[in-house]
């Protein structure tokens, strides 16, 4: 996909772009899409806190959408992507990765298993075309892979009051984590999946592209009685970092494998085949670096690519770093020498200043997720 920074095209816009502009949102390029980073009235910290304590609503329509259909579609996807689709039933979703032959991560994505012959995918914005291209190139006769990027919007409702917000609109709630319901809202179809990128209880809604504005308007109105807020991608980033969730392009990439990112739980190691299997199995036996959490013990905020030292020698680098609004201190994810254990003290070079941090296992914050 051509990004906004290429100088050849304007950034793409979500179906809710006019709503964000009307709300006065600060907009920025994200994966080639002009998306809201924060809104007036408190910015990232206020939006982050709203999700942790109450509820927030995010436009994430820049995320990709694709379908794989035809006899044996689920088996085909299972032979390509890392996780084992046979672990789940129709009506369930699954986090998985698309790897290349060297074990690098082309993308991480969510699989919605509709049936054995119908699989819906939500990749990341900038990687959708490449994921679709790879699947199309590998698809046998009878399997159709379709890029639906701008056929659907995606709206995330996240926080402790997310059920109450959806119930006020007559949308289904209470289904199991990583499961979805194909529902009807005011005569229009919408997929309601109990997923999210914040660690809080929440849902991701997938309406048709042209139906997204009306649903957004209703959700923004519905969160207001709970002191909820529209939230931008700035808060989405601080929320996911507090949970230790990876961001593709920073914590996962063609150079950062699932083994290094400690995402082996999303790999079906017992499957006969998936893209990158041989390389990942070899690396699993002898990893050279592993993802860890870093909790800053003083004042300062680590950022991506900062060098991390241990016992006086360089031992890795930060992949994601931010200020945690919940903990009110700096946190980071970093690829480190695998000999470094949790509890060790390391030093982060932040613009020439040494910042002390403790190695920890994410998540950095504990959330109370209501399961029913």
């Amino acid at each position: 996909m051509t990004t906004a920074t290429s100088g050849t095209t304007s950034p793409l816009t979500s179906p809710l772009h006019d709503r964000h502009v009307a709300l006065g949102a600060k907009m920025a390029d994200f994966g080639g899409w002009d998306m809201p980073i924060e809104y007036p009235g408190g910015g990232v910290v206020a939006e982050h806190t709203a999700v942790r304590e109450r509820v927030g609503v995010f436009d994430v329509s820049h995320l990709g959408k694709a379908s794989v259909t035809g006899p044996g579609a689920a088996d085909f996807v299972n032979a390509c992507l890392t996780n084992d689709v046979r672990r789940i039933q129709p009506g369930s979703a699954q986090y998985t990765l698309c790897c290349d032959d060297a074990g690098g991560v082309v993308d991480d994505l969510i699989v919605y298993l509709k049936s054995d012959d119908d699989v819906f995918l939500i990749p990341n914005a900038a990687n959708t075309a490449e994921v679709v291209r790879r699947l199309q190139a590998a698809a046998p006769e009878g399997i159709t892979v379709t890029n639906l990027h701008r056929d659907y919007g995606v709206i995330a409702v996240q926080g402790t009051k997310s059920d109450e917000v959806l119930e006020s609109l007559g949308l289904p709630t209470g289904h199991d984590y990583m499961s979805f319901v194909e529902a009807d809202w005011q005569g229009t179809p919408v997929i309601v999946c109990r997923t999210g990128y914040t660690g809080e209880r929440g849902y991701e809604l997938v309406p048709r592209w042209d139906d997204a504005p009306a649903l957004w308007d209703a959700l923004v109105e519905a969160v207001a009685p709970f002191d909820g807020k529209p939230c931008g991608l700035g808060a989405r980033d601080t929320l996911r970092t507090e949970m230790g969730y990876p961001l593709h392009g920073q914590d996962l990439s063609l150079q950062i494998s699932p083994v290094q990112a400690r995402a082996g739980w999303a790999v079906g190691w017992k499957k006969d085949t998936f893209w990158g299997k041989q390389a990942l199995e070899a690396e699993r036996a002898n990893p050279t670096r592993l993802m860890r959490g870093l909790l800053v013990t003083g004042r300062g905020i680590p950022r991506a690519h900062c060098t991390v030292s241990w016992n006086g020698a360089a031992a890795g680098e930060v992949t994601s770093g931010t200020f945690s609004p919940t903990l009110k201190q700096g946190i980071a994810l970093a690829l480190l020498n695998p000999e470094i254990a949790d509890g060790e003290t390391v030093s982060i070079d932040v613009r020439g200043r040494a910042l002390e941090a403790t190695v920890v296992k994410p998540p950095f914050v504990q959330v109370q997720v209501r399961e029913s």
Side-chain angles (χ1 to χ4, degrees), residues 183-327:
D184 176 275
W185 182 72
Q186 296 189 352
T188 65
V190 58
I191 301 172
V192 181
C193 191
R194 200 157 91 72
T195 50
Y197 199 43
T198 67
E200 298 293 339
R201 184 179 179 90
Y203 299 84
E204 291 179 309
L205 313 182
V206 186
R208 293 179 304 199
W209 186 269
D210 291 340
D211 297 332
L215 181 57
W216 169 267
D217 291 344
L219 287 166
V220 170
E221 184 177 347
V223 301
F226 300 101
D227 196 21
K229 293 179 177 292
C231 300
L233 299 185
R236 181 174 161 90
D237 190 60
T238 56
L239 288 158
R240 70 94 187 169
T241 306
E242 285 188 346
M243 297 307 298
Y245 295 160
L247 175 66
H248 190 274
Q250 291 185 202
D251 314 296
L252 293 164
S253 70
L254 291 174
Q255 291 73 44
I256 305 174
S257 73
V259 172
Q260 295 170 35
R262 303 180 86 176
W265 59 270
V267 178
W269 296 106
K270 295 181 179 179
K271 292 198 302 181
D272 291 336
T273 185
F274 57 85
W275 293 340
K277 177 179 170 68
Q278 185 174 356
L280 290 174
E281 286 180 331
E283 185 180 34
R284 187 187 187 197
N286 188 31
T288 58
R289 55 183 187 169
L290 292 172
M291 191 73 70
R292 302 280 185 177
L294 300 180
L295 183 63
V296 173
T297 53
R299 294 175 61 86
I301 303 172
R303 298 298 185 189
H305 307 301
C306 288
T307 298
V308 181
S309 297
W310 177 57
N311 291 338
E317 76 169 15
V318 171
T319 56
S320 287
T322 192
F323 173 78
S324 163
T326 303
L327 300 177

Side-chain angles (χ1 to χ4, degrees), residues 7 23 34 71-72 83-84 117-118 132 145 150 163 170-171 188 195 241 258 278 291 337 362 367:
L23 288 171
D34 193 30
N83 215 334
D84 190 349
D117 302 333
D118 190 354
V132 169
V145 182
R150 285 191 275 183
D163 282 59
L171 289 166
T188 65
T195 50
T241 306
Q278 185 174 356
M291 191 73 70
N337 182 325
V367 297

Side-chain angles (χ1 to χ4, degrees), residues 5 20 33 37 61 71 74 82 111 124-125 168 175 195 204-205 214 224 234 244-245 248 254 325 336 340 353 364:
T5 57
H20 305 316
W33 292 68
I37 302 303
S61 298
T82 61
V111 166
N124 283 294
S168 72
H175 39 294
T195 50
E204 291 179 309
L205 313 182
Y245 295 160
H248 190 274
L254 291 174
L336 301 180
I340 302 176
R353 183 167 69 91
F364 295 95

Side-chain angles (χ1 to χ4, degrees), residues 16 58-61 63-65 122 152-156 204-207:
L16 308 176
F58 300 79
D59 176 18
V60 285
S61 298
L63 294 175
K65 306 97 194 171
I122 297 190
Y152 297 93
V154 185
I155 303 173
E204 291 179 309
L205 313 182
V206 186

Side-chain angles (χ1 to χ4, degrees), residues 75-233:
D75 287 337
F76 165 66
V77 169
N78 207 34
C80 299
L81 308 183
T82 61
N83 215 334
D84 190 349
V85 174
R86 289 309 169 195
R87 292 175 181 168
I88 63 173
Q89 301 296 319
S92 295
Q94 184 183 65
Y95 178 82
T96 190
L97 303 117
C98 174
C99 291
D100 65 8
D101 289 342
V105 181
V106 175
D107 198 22
D108 61 335
L109 60 159
I110 302 292
V111 166
Y112 286 55
L113 182 61
K114 292 188 173 185
S115 71
D116 288 345
D117 302 333
D118 190 354
V119 180
F120 186 69
L121 307 176
I122 297 190
N124 283 294
N127 303 325
T128 300
E130 179 61 13
V131 170
V132 169
R133 185 195 69 77
R134 287 173 178 261
L135 290 169
Q136 286 176 337
E141 186 175 353
I143 298 293
T144 301
V145 182
T146 307
N147 190 335
L148 302 172
H149 205 150
R150 285 191 275 183
D151 287 35
Y152 297 93
V154 185
I155 303 173
V157 181
Q158 300 284 295
T160 57
K161 297 297 183 181
S162 56
D163 282 59
E164 288 84 346
V165 169
L166 265 62
E167 288 164 2
S168 72
L169 300 185
L171 289 166
T173 63
H175 39 294
D176 292 339
Y177 180 60
M178 296 299 285
S179 70
F180 64 90
V181 175
E182 298 188 65
D184 176 275
W185 182 72
Q186 296 189 352
T188 65
V190 58
I191 301 172
V192 181
C193 191
R194 200 157 91 72
T195 50
Y197 199 43
T198 67
E200 298 293 339
R201 184 179 179 90
Y203 299 84
E204 291 179 309
L205 313 182
V206 186
R208 293 179 304 199
W209 186 269
D210 291 340
D211 297 332
L215 181 57
W216 169 267
D217 291 344
L219 287 166
V220 170
E221 184 177 347
V223 301
F226 300 101
D227 196 21
K229 293 179 177 292
C231 300
L233 299 185

